[in-house]
Amino acid sequence: MTPLSFQELIQNLQAFWANKGCVILQPLDMEVGAGTFHPATFLRAIGPESWSAAYVQPSRRPTDGRYGKNPNRLQHYYQFQVVIKPSPDNFKSLYLDSLKSIGIDTSIHDIRFVEDNWESPTLGAWGLGWEVWVNGMEVSQFTYFQQAGGLECFPVTGEITYGLERIAMYLQGVDSVYDLSWTKNANRKISYGDVFMQNEIEMSVYNFEEANTSQIFEYFDFLEEEAARLVSRHLPLPAYEMVMKASHAFNLLDARHAISVTERQRFILRVRTLAKIVAQEYYDSRAKLGFPLAEPELLKSNFDEGSEK
Amino acid sequence: MSAVSKPLLIEIGTEELPTNSVSVLGKALLEGVCDGLKIRNLSFGKAHWYASPRRLAALIHDVEQVAPEKMTEILGPPVAAARDQNGKWSKAAIGFAKKHGSSPENLTEKDTEKGLRLAFCSTIQGVSIEDSLTNIITESIDALPIEKKMRWGAKRISFARPVHWAVVMYGSTVFHEPILGVTPGNITFGHPVHSPDPILLSNPEEYEELLEAARVIADFEKRKNSIHIQIQAAAKDMNATAVVDEELLCEVTGLCEWPVALSGSFSSEFLSLPGEALILAMKTHQKYFHLLNSEGELLPHFITICNIESKNPEEVIRGNERVIHPRLSDAAFFFDSDMNSSLESKTSSLNQIIFQQRLGTLLHKVNRIDRNARRIAKILGASESEASQSALLCKSDLASQMVLEFPDMQGIAGRHNALNDGVSSSVALAIEQHYWPIYAGSKLPETEIGVCVAIADRIDTLVGIFGAGMHPTGSKDPFALRRASLSILRILIEKAYFLDLRELVDFAIEGFSDDLLDSGTSTAVLKYIIDRLPTYYDENNISVEIFRSVSALGIYCPFDIDLRVKAVAHFSTLPISESLAVANKRVTNILSKVDESDSLIEINEDLFSTEFEVRLAADLKLVKEACLDLILKKDYGAALEQLSMLDGPLADFFENVMVNSEDSTLRANRISLLKSVHEQFLKVADISQLAGK
């Protein structure tokens, strides 16, 4: 069996999870650090409404850029994100089936669930779960959300994040991400490097050398004010966009070493404060709509006990 | 009624539990269930715990079905008072019977030490396992020490990880009362890949065997043992010795149900890296065991424990080798780039790392460590310049890439960098050893310069953090001040250094700029450090009373304290210690009731009115002289021996002399004599603390 190309890997995962009833979304058209930032995960984890979605999310981590020289580290890479709420009883076995669908035979490979508790200080979110190892290599994160934006999650969202490049490198047996086969057509192979090498080099230069820090500092302040203002106008979704932008601005400043260690904590706290007020506003806005996607019995129990703790 | 007893099995099936809590929770579940049986008076036989990533279980043999009846007997009024003159039941008898829902006719008479009494006797039915098992299970689940609980799905239940099934069986009887949101049955599950079908249990005693057939070794210790044997066999195949770290062994045991050891290799070019870095990369990131050759040198091989009998083990090995390669490449890259710059050049980056907001950066800290270390070196007669050089470099590797990636390499990375820079080996060793002891009970710095920096660093942390108002509270000790204190004490005591903490602490405080630290820091820090000693001595089986007899003196030199504590500990085993302690206690009691003005006078021998006063005073004089030299030499054992000679004179004194004489001059003189005795004892220890132990 020939291993999947990078794009076939994505197609297989999409088909698999579409088959399990997930809404297949397209990537968020904004810079985010992880698939968790997508409103389809972070905001949908809040409140009593049911939700199942899967999508690819390009993720930007400016500090991880290596000018295209490190075979494993990228400042822009892909995550495949699956969220199901409430997390189903067979969530883990669905995940194992999904591995089979991309060519990982569970009777050959050693698959392990190693405790890894997830926490996002900027989003005021945390959950418990595992990193999943295949023959000693971490290929996914598996998390049961317990809190998002400072709000208790009920019901609980189950989240799976696949590290697509790692899995593809493993399946294709290549040692450099740039050697991955993105796709093959009749006459030639298009590699990951063909698609992204120049981007990695130029964006590393931008992130580490060119980003205009004084402008970004000002921009951060603006976004902070704007998010608060939009919350006061009862517009949680635009306000949340400001939070995501602020978070990315912070990441850029971090990559430029423009924030001292002590300042760093303060910036994280500023983003978290925004994430919290936005989360509450989003909850209120869904409540006003009567939580249209909630199962009746969960809706009732949410009103009965939703404010527990 | 003959007692029926059967085996009891409780199993909770979960998603993969946090690795390090697997055995803890398994043991705790069994303990909880046994406690529940005990308090209900249900007897049981052998009990066994099971724990794997996906299950916790307790199997208890010969659990009694119904607890035995209990006879109770409550005594009432005396029989003599049970009837009035007319032979009718008295009010007392009627009242007593009524209180217990009975009537006087149904009471019996009991012969007791206090004569014949009325008594109410009844039998209480023992509880049955049927009625109490659900409660026993619920109570033991509630008592499990789960570090972080979670919820899942749309359930309000919380546990360490989602719960999927439960087994509750008493003999062949199955219990179905829900626990943790699932309905228990007699169905368990084996290895998800090797044996995905449900397993029907007809009897609790089949549990271990049926699971083993389904590729699950449920017994934690058995699984651990199997891993150990497999590792050794695999190592033997490679003509090597595997280093089996107990902590890692437990960790991997908590990560698998059907362990299979596989061995792989990495490129020998990585062997040029520091061995510690290779071992850490294998151990912390990949949970691999490393191997040594007969010369004790690291081999380019590893052993991994997987959780499957793979259809193609080569594939699993290849996969693991592909993971370790980039990890080691990273380590090699970090190491090489770290070696490209001197350790000294990294020191300046420490001004980027905040030690604590109020106390400034690590660079500030390093300068204070330097100041302290030079002082300590001077006191100990060690090289001040080497202590200074080591202190100034001791934190520099925190700015290295290696330590950023492998925090456990702190100190080790610094040593390598220093040696690479051509720094003297004693400085390089001190850089590494100033972190020692790394764990409670682990080895102490071996070199004197290492000791200087180790103490200098920890005193600075203690003084700084206390001074910044961040006293550790209860379980919150983010700067590990408890460990820092214990480390200082262990180094000074076990390596026999006469360093006075008060001097060191006050000197360290002066190293901070004016007004930076809270007032009262010196007292607070000294008290905190000394307060760690009772725990230290408790671990060495020395009682707190013995420690108190020395701590009462207000000494701040831990080694001096230790010499005294050991002397008192020995003394307390001697027959004479008891009476001497009591006598000292008496002296203390008398003195505590005395006004200062009462005892201001000098002892006046002319005022002695009894031979007992004369003798006590004379013996005291002799003992004083003999002790002078002994105390100077810190031979506290011999000093106590001398002091013991006062036992007889003191006893005679108390027997025959009234301290509280009506003549106030006589009284004052006697008090002065006792005070003088007391002061003499206090030069060694406050023996009165041993009284009434």
Side-chain angles (χ1 to χ4, degrees):
Chain A
M1 190 182 80
T2 46
L4 300 177
S5 67
F6 194 68
Q7 72 185 31
E8 283 167 341
L9 170 62
I10 294 173
Q11 285 164 348
N12 276 32
L13 285 173
Q14 280 183 340
F16 178 88
W17 288 105
N19 219 2
K20 305 296 172 197
C22 286
V23 172
I24 302 299
L25 287 170
Q26 299 308 313
L28 182 69
D29 58 338
M30 291 175 62
E31 302 116 320
V32 287
T36 308
F37 275 86
H38 196 306
T41 295
F42 177 67
L43 292 179
R44 295 285 182 179
I46 296 164
E49 292 174 276
S50 299
W51 179 248
S52 301
Y55 54 91
V56 176
Q57 183 59 51
S59 305
R60 298 202 188 206
R61 307 251 168 113
T63 45
D64 283 349
R66 291 294 183 271
Y67 298 86
K69 285 184 182 145
N70 185 303
N72 298 298
R73 286 203 199 199
L74 304 164
Q75 55 81 43
H76 172 284
Y77 64 101
Y78 284 111
Q79 291 185 340
F80 190 87
Q81 176 92 351
V82 179
V83 284
I84 303 185
K85 175 189 173 187
S87 64
D89 266 353
N90 63 345
F91 202 31
K92 259 190 59 200
S93 55
L94 286 176
Y95 169 74
L96 291 172
D97 289 344
S98 80
L99 291 185
K100 286 177 205 158
S101 82
I102 54 173
I104 297 177
D105 183 342
T106 52
S107 67
I108 293 177
H109 298 282
D110 178 33
I111 295 168
R112 231 77 76 68
F113 289 76
V114 182
E115 176 192 16
D116 187 35
N117 301 329
W118 169 81
E119 188 179 3
S120 166
T122 44
L123 288 178
W126 67 276
L128 299 188
W130 311 274
E131 45 183 60
V132 184
W133 289 12
V134 172
N135 302 335
M137 180 175 70
E138 182 193 347
V139 294
S140 306
Q141 285 276 338
F142 204 113
T143 307
Y144 290 97
F145 272 47
Q146 303 294 303
Q147 218 181 60
L151 299 174
E152 207 69 27
C153 293
F154 185 81
V156 168
T157 296
E159 178 201 57
I160 299 167
T161 305
Y162 300 80
L164 288 175
E165 285 84 354
R166 278 184 176 217
I167 295 175
M169 284 167 73
Y170 195 75
L171 293 174
Q172 296 183 17
V174 301
D175 292 326
S176 166
V177 66
Y178 298 107
D179 294 338
L180 279 174
S181 157
W182 191 288
T183 186
K184 304 171 285 255
N185 57 31
N187 28 22
R188 65 172 298 187
K189 172 190 138 183
I190 299 288
S191 73
Y192 196 96
D194 292 331
V195 180
F196 274 119
M197 178 56 103
Q198 187 184 351
N199 185 61
E200 277 303 310
I201 298 170
E202 289 189 15
M203 289 307 294
S204 294
V205 175
Y206 171 75
N207 294 334
F208 290 128
E209 301 165 38
E210 294 294 334
N212 181 326
T213 53
S214 61
Q215 290 283 319
I216 297 172
F217 270 119
E218 277 177 36
Y219 186 48
F220 184 93
D221 293 344
F222 164 75
L223 291 167
E224 185 179 36
E225 280 170 34
E226 200 63 353
R229 189 180 71 83
L230 290 167
V231 165
S232 75
R233 305 293 298 159
H234 305 298
L235 293 168
L237 297 181
Y240 184 58
E241 292 204 346
M242 300 304 134
V243 175
M244 288 185 281
K245 288 181 196 205
S247 170
H248 183 63
F250 163 75
N251 288 342
L252 276 176
L253 291 169
D254 204 23
R256 294 278 284 136
H257 292 293
I259 303 177
S260 70
V261 182
T262 18
E263 283 280 277
R264 214 172 169 275
Q265 274 310 312
R266 221 167 51 82
F267 269 83
I268 289 173
L269 190 66
R270 284 166 78 184
V271 181
R272 177 164 62 217
T273 308
L274 294 178
K276 281 188 175 174
I277 57 170
V278 170
Q280 185 62 51
E281 187 61 32
Y282 173 78
Y283 180 90
D284 295 345
S285 72
R286 297 302 293 180
K288 244 179 244 161
L289 295 173
F291 294 121
L293 296 181
E295 294 296 327
E297 67 269 25
L298 288 181
L299 188 57
K300 189 180 167 299
S301 90
N302 198 66
F303 279 126
D304 291 348
E305 319 171 49
S307 56
E308 177 191 304
K309 276 171 203 166
Chain B
M1 197 170 74
S2 71
V4 177
S5 60
K6 296 176 189 173
L8 170 67
L9 173 67
I10 297 160
E11 185 195 41
I12 301 167
T14 64
E15 293 181 9
E16 277 76 354
L17 294 164
T19 312
N20 289 324
S21 63
V22 170
S23 63
V24 177
L25 295 181
K27 283 180 205 166
L29 178 67
L30 179 69
E31 204 176 300
V33 175
C34 289
D35 286 349
L37 293 171
K38 266 181 222 156
I39 57 168
R40 287 168 178 83
N41 223 8
L42 288 157
S43 69
F44 55 89
K46 263 172 66 179
H48 202 91
W49 62 279
Y50 297 89
S52 83
R54 292 170 62 240
R55 71 199 72 232
L56 303 171
L59 174 62
I60 307 171
H61 295 278
D62 303 320
V63 177
E64 208 173 18
Q65 189 163 21
V66 182
E69 290 180 346
K70 225 166 105 184
M71 300 288 291
T72 62
E73 177 187 297
I74 302 163
L75 291 180
V79 170
R83 291 178 193 270
D84 59 20
Q85 305 99 310
N86 308 325
K88 284 192 176 167
W89 291 107
S90 69
K91 266 189 188 168
I94 295 169
F96 172 72
K98 208 171 166 188
K99 194 171 147 199
H100 297 285
S102 183
S103 54
E105 302 78 46
N106 296 330
L107 298 176
T108 51
E109 292 179 1
K110 286 276 164 188
D111 203 359
T112 74
E113 281 175 13
K114 292 178 181 170
L116 218 49
R117 301 272 292 268
L118 282 184
F120 171 74
C121 296
S122 68
T123 52
I124 295 174
Q125 288 299 315
V127 291
S128 69
I129 198 82
E130 277 86 356
D131 292 339
S132 55
L133 189 54
T134 305
N135 284 340
I136 292 174
I137 296 173
T138 316
E139 286 160 18
S140 46
I141 288 172
D142 288 346
L144 289 177
I146 298 172
E147 268 178 40
K148 248 185 182 169
K149 288 193 182 185
M150 60 167 282
R151 289 173 291 105
W152 59 94
K155 294 179 177 171
R156 286 290 180 192
I157 287 148
S158 64
F159 198 63
R161 284 294 182 271
V163 176
H164 280 273
W165 78 86
V167 175
V168 178
M169 292 177 80
Y170 179 64
S172 56
T173 314
V174 183
F175 283 67
H176 298 294
E177 198 88 32
I179 51 171
L180 292 168
V182 295
T183 304
N186 54 342
I187 291 169
T188 186
F189 293 87
H191 191 286
V193 174
H194 293 304
S195 185
D197 297 331
I199 300 163
L200 195 70
L201 298 165
S202 56
N203 189 305
E205 272 152 349
E206 301 175 342
Y207 181 71
E208 192 171 337
E209 206 176 313
L210 286 185
L211 274 181
E212 196 148 339
R215 296 286 191 277
V216 170
I217 303 178
D219 184 327
F220 188 90
E221 294 297 337
K222 190 168 170 187
R223 203 165 62 246
K224 185 172 146 190
N225 203 27
S226 154
I227 294 171
H228 204 153
I229 291 167
Q230 290 188 54
I231 291 171
Q232 275 162 343
K236 204 175 164 201
D237 287 346
M238 291 182 275
N239 280 323
T241 312
V243 178
V244 183
D245 177 81
E246 174 70 14
E247 203 181 323
L248 181 61
L249 183 61
C250 286
E251 203 177 343
V252 297
T253 308
L255 264 174
C256 62
E257 299 201 294
W258 191 249
V260 175
L262 294 176
S263 45
S265 309
F266 56 85
S267 164
S268 54
E269 68 187 75
F270 291 122
L271 292 176
S272 61
L273 286 172
E276 298 97 333
L278 297 175
I279 293 167
L280 273 176
M282 285 191 270
K283 181 180 158 186
T284 50
H285 288 316
Q286 299 302 134
K287 308 189 196 305
Y288 295 161
F289 295 88
H290 62 276
L291 296 140
L292 305 176
N293 66 14
S294 53
E295 268 83 58
E297 294 159 339
L298 193 63
L299 288 167
H301 302 297
F302 61 85
I303 294 171
T304 181
I305 306 299
C306 60
N307 188 31
I308 189 170
E309 265 176 58
S310 173
K311 279 187 193 159
N312 185 356
E314 287 304 313
E315 186 93 17
V316 179
I317 294 169
R318 195 142 26 99
N320 277 284
E321 288 175 345
R322 286 191 52 201
V323 191
I324 194 68
H325 185 88
R327 289 247 186 240
L328 298 180
S329 297
D330 275 358
F333 173 78
F334 296 142
F335 185 68
D336 289 345
S337 59
D338 285 344
M339 292 307 136
N340 279 333
S341 66
S342 70
L343 192 57
E344 197 179 345
S345 70
K346 294 182 178 77
T347 310
S348 61
S349 313
L350 297 180
N351 70 355
Q352 303 278 328
I353 307 175
I354 299 286
F355 168 55
Q356 199 275 332
Q357 212 139 1
R358 211 164 121 185
L359 308 173
T361 66
L362 275 181
L363 190 60
H364 292 122
K365 181 174 177 53
V366 160
N367 288 323
R368 293 191 304 261
I369 298 174
D370 172 34
R371 187 175 166 274
N372 293 344
R374 274 182 283 136
R375 173 64 164 236
I376 296 166
K378 191 172 180 181
I379 300 171
L380 299 185
S383 157
E384 284 176 63
S385 67
E386 280 193 335
S388 173
Q389 197 188 357
S390 310
L392 289 171
L393 291 172
C394 75
K395 302 293 180 195
S396 303
D397 67 356
L398 296 180
S400 73
Q401 302 208 47
M402 181 64 95
V403 175
L404 232 54
E405 190 70 10
F406 302 104
D408 286 351
M409 283 293 285
Q410 65 176 19
I412 301 166
R415 168 166 58 86
H416 284 282
N417 208 156
L419 289 173
N420 190 58
D421 298 344
V423 167
S424 78
S425 72
S426 76
V427 170
L429 284 176
I431 291 169
E432 175 177 14
Q433 296 184 2
H434 92 279
Y435 284 112
W436 297 2
I438 295 173
Y439 311 103
S442 71
K443 63 183 168 189
L444 302 174
E446 285 157 1
T447 69
E448 199 148 70
I449 302 295
V451 167
C452 294
V453 185
I455 305 277
D457 180 20
R458 290 174 173 108
I459 288 280
D460 176 71
T461 303
L462 279 157
V463 162
I465 299 302
F466 264 92
M470 298 180 64
H471 303 214
T473 54
S475 57
K476 277 202 181 133
D477 183 11
F479 288 88
L481 299 187
R482 182 176 300 268
R483 213 179 63 206
S485 305
L486 266 170
S487 300
I488 292 174
L489 293 169
R490 273 196 60 208
I491 293 172
L492 295 183
I493 291 173
E494 290 167 29
K495 296 190 73 86
Y497 288 117
F498 284 109
L499 277 179
D500 191 276
L501 289 176
R502 195 202 301 261
E503 194 187 330
L504 292 185
V505 165
D506 288 343
F507 184 79
I509 288 173
E510 287 162 22
F512 287 86
S513 46
D514 291 348
D515 299 334
L516 189 66
L517 304 182
D518 292 349
S519 62
T521 297
S522 171
T523 320
V525 169
L526 287 170
K527 180 173 180 338
Y528 185 79
I529 300 177
I530 297 295
D531 281 352
R532 303 305 109 209
L533 277 171
T535 321
Y536 173 78
Y537 282 120
D538 189 53
E539 282 162 13
N540 290 295
N541 294 319
I542 290 177
S543 77
V544 70
E545 289 82 6
I546 292 175
F547 168 69
R548 276 202 207 117
S549 75
V550 178
S551 70
L553 311 184
I555 300 171
Y556 292 98
C557 174
F559 184 49
D560 194 3
I561 293 176
D562 190 60
L563 290 176
R564 291 166 193 264
V565 163
K566 298 230 165 97
V568 176
H570 171 73
F571 169 74
S572 72
T573 62
L574 305 178
I576 201 169
S577 69
E578 209 170 312
S579 65
L580 202 59
V582 170
N584 266 281
K585 180 91 188 154
R586 235 169 134 175
V587 173
T588 318
N589 284 344
I590 291 168
L591 293 178
S592 70
K593 287 174 200 141
V594 164
D595 291 334
E596 272 299 303
S597 56
D598 278 346
S599 57
L600 275 178
I601 62 161
E602 289 277 310
I603 299 171
N604 183 348
E605 293 187 6
D606 297 339
L607 288 173
F608 289 155
S609 59
T610 67
E611 57 178 299
F612 308 105
E613 288 160 274
V614 177
R615 185 168 157 224
L616 181 58
D619 284 4
L620 177 62
K621 211 168 174 181
L622 289 175
V623 167
K624 241 181 190 169
E625 271 162 32
C627 279
L628 201 64
D629 197 39
L630 293 172
I631 290 171
L632 217 58
K633 287 194 297 197
K634 300 190 191 299
D635 189 347
Y636 300 115
L640 277 172
E641 231 170 87
Q642 286 294 327
L643 286 163
S644 304
M645 292 178 193
L646 296 177
D647 186 47
L650 263 174
D652 290 343
F653 177 88
F654 280 126
E655 182 122 327
N656 301 298
V657 179
M658 263 300 272
V659 176
N660 269 331
S661 162
E662 280 172 16
D663 179 338
S664 65
T665 3
L666 281 186
R667 178 167 174 262
N669 197 46
R670 285 167 187 167
I671 286 171
S672 291
L673 176 60
L674 288 183
K675 201 168 176 221
S676 188
V677 169
H678 185 59
E679 279 163 3
Q680 188 55 37
F681 271 92
L682 288 193
K683 284 178 185 163
V684 181
D686 180 4
I687 300 300
S688 72
Q689 301 277 349
L690 303 180
K693 198 171 79 175

